Short mmCIF file of all heavy atoms in Angstrom, two decimals:
data_model
loop_
_atom_site.label_atom_id
_atom_site.label_comp_id
_atom_site.label_asym_id
_atom_site.label_seq_id
_atom_site.Cartn_x
_atom_site.Cartn_y
_atom_site.Cartn_z
N THR B 272 61.57 -114.13 55.59
CA THR B 272 61.81 -115.07 54.48
C THR B 272 60.71 -116.09 54.31
O THR B 272 60.63 -116.75 53.28
CB THR B 272 63.16 -115.79 54.66
OG1 THR B 272 63.15 -116.54 55.88
CG2 THR B 272 64.31 -114.79 54.69
N THR B 273 59.84 -116.25 55.32
CA THR B 273 58.72 -117.17 55.16
C THR B 273 57.80 -116.75 54.02
O THR B 273 57.10 -117.56 53.43
CB THR B 273 57.91 -117.29 56.47
OG1 THR B 273 57.00 -118.41 56.37
CG2 THR B 273 57.09 -116.04 56.74
N TRP B 274 57.84 -115.46 53.66
CA TRP B 274 57.01 -114.94 52.57
C TRP B 274 57.73 -115.00 51.23
O TRP B 274 57.22 -114.52 50.22
CB TRP B 274 56.60 -113.49 52.86
CG TRP B 274 55.86 -113.32 54.15
CD1 TRP B 274 56.33 -112.73 55.29
CD2 TRP B 274 54.52 -113.74 54.44
NE1 TRP B 274 55.36 -112.77 56.27
CE2 TRP B 274 54.24 -113.38 55.78
CE3 TRP B 274 53.53 -114.38 53.69
CZ2 TRP B 274 53.03 -113.64 56.39
CZ3 TRP B 274 52.31 -114.65 54.30
CH2 TRP B 274 52.07 -114.28 55.63
N GLY B 275 58.92 -115.61 51.20
CA GLY B 275 59.71 -115.67 49.98
C GLY B 275 58.97 -116.18 48.75
O GLY B 275 59.10 -115.62 47.66
N PRO B 276 58.16 -117.25 48.87
CA PRO B 276 57.48 -117.77 47.69
C PRO B 276 56.42 -116.85 47.09
O PRO B 276 55.97 -117.07 45.97
CB PRO B 276 56.84 -119.07 48.20
CG PRO B 276 57.63 -119.46 49.40
CD PRO B 276 58.01 -118.15 50.03
N VAL B 277 55.98 -115.82 47.86
CA VAL B 277 54.87 -114.98 47.36
C VAL B 277 55.23 -113.51 47.21
O VAL B 277 54.50 -112.76 46.56
CB VAL B 277 53.63 -115.10 48.28
CG1 VAL B 277 53.14 -116.55 48.34
CG2 VAL B 277 53.91 -114.58 49.68
N ILE B 278 56.34 -113.06 47.79
CA ILE B 278 56.58 -111.63 47.88
C ILE B 278 56.86 -111.00 46.53
O ILE B 278 56.43 -109.87 46.25
CB ILE B 278 57.70 -111.34 48.90
CG1 ILE B 278 57.66 -109.86 49.32
CG2 ILE B 278 59.06 -111.72 48.35
CD1 ILE B 278 58.52 -109.55 50.52
N ASP B 279 57.56 -111.70 45.64
CA ASP B 279 57.86 -111.11 44.33
C ASP B 279 56.59 -110.84 43.53
O ASP B 279 56.44 -109.77 42.93
CB ASP B 279 58.78 -112.04 43.53
CG ASP B 279 60.22 -112.00 44.03
OD1 ASP B 279 60.58 -111.02 44.70
OD2 ASP B 279 60.97 -112.95 43.77
N GLU B 280 55.71 -111.82 43.51
CA GLU B 280 54.47 -111.64 42.74
C GLU B 280 53.57 -110.59 43.38
O GLU B 280 52.95 -109.78 42.68
CB GLU B 280 53.73 -112.98 42.61
CG GLU B 280 52.58 -112.92 41.62
CD GLU B 280 52.01 -114.28 41.30
OE1 GLU B 280 52.61 -115.31 41.72
OE2 GLU B 280 50.94 -114.34 40.66
N LEU B 281 53.51 -110.55 44.71
CA LEU B 281 52.71 -109.53 45.37
C LEU B 281 53.26 -108.13 45.09
O LEU B 281 52.51 -107.17 44.94
CB LEU B 281 52.68 -109.79 46.88
CG LEU B 281 51.86 -110.98 47.35
CD1 LEU B 281 52.05 -111.20 48.85
CD2 LEU B 281 50.38 -110.80 47.02
N ALA B 282 54.60 -108.02 45.01
CA ALA B 282 55.22 -106.72 44.79
C ALA B 282 54.93 -106.16 43.40
O ALA B 282 55.16 -104.97 43.16
CB ALA B 282 56.73 -106.82 45.00
N GLU B 283 54.41 -106.98 42.50
CA GLU B 283 54.01 -106.47 41.18
C GLU B 283 52.74 -105.63 41.27
O GLU B 283 52.46 -104.84 40.37
CB GLU B 283 53.79 -107.64 40.23
CG GLU B 283 55.06 -108.42 39.91
CD GLU B 283 54.79 -109.62 39.03
OE1 GLU B 283 53.62 -109.80 38.61
OE2 GLU B 283 55.73 -110.40 38.77
N ARG B 284 51.97 -105.80 42.36
CA ARG B 284 50.69 -105.09 42.49
C ARG B 284 50.63 -104.20 43.73
O ARG B 284 49.80 -103.30 43.80
CB ARG B 284 49.54 -106.10 42.58
CG ARG B 284 49.44 -107.06 41.42
CD ARG B 284 48.33 -108.08 41.67
NE ARG B 284 48.15 -109.01 40.58
CZ ARG B 284 48.83 -110.15 40.42
NH1 ARG B 284 49.75 -110.48 41.31
NH2 ARG B 284 48.59 -110.93 39.39
N PHE B 285 51.47 -104.49 44.71
CA PHE B 285 51.35 -103.83 46.00
C PHE B 285 52.71 -103.32 46.48
O PHE B 285 53.76 -103.77 46.04
CB PHE B 285 50.83 -104.82 47.06
CG PHE B 285 49.52 -105.47 46.72
CD1 PHE B 285 49.48 -106.78 46.24
CD2 PHE B 285 48.33 -104.79 46.89
CE1 PHE B 285 48.28 -107.39 45.93
CE2 PHE B 285 47.11 -105.39 46.59
CZ PHE B 285 47.09 -106.69 46.10
N THR B 286 52.65 -102.37 47.43
CA THR B 286 53.82 -102.05 48.23
C THR B 286 53.84 -103.02 49.39
O THR B 286 52.96 -102.99 50.26
CB THR B 286 53.75 -100.60 48.76
OG1 THR B 286 53.75 -99.69 47.67
CG2 THR B 286 54.93 -100.31 49.67
N VAL B 287 54.81 -103.91 49.40
CA VAL B 287 54.87 -104.98 50.38
C VAL B 287 55.91 -104.64 51.44
O VAL B 287 57.07 -104.35 51.12
CB VAL B 287 55.24 -106.32 49.72
CG1 VAL B 287 55.30 -107.43 50.76
CG2 VAL B 287 54.22 -106.67 48.64
N VAL B 288 55.49 -104.66 52.70
CA VAL B 288 56.40 -104.48 53.83
C VAL B 288 56.38 -105.77 54.64
O VAL B 288 55.33 -106.17 55.15
CB VAL B 288 56.00 -103.29 54.72
CG1 VAL B 288 56.94 -103.17 55.91
CG2 VAL B 288 55.97 -102.00 53.92
#
Side-chain angles (χ1 to χ4, degrees):
T272 61
T273 192
W274 302 108
V277 300
I278 197 168
D279 285 340
E280 191 170 350
L281 289 174
E283 294 177 4
R284 303 176 178 87
F285 304 102
T286 298
V287 180
V288 178

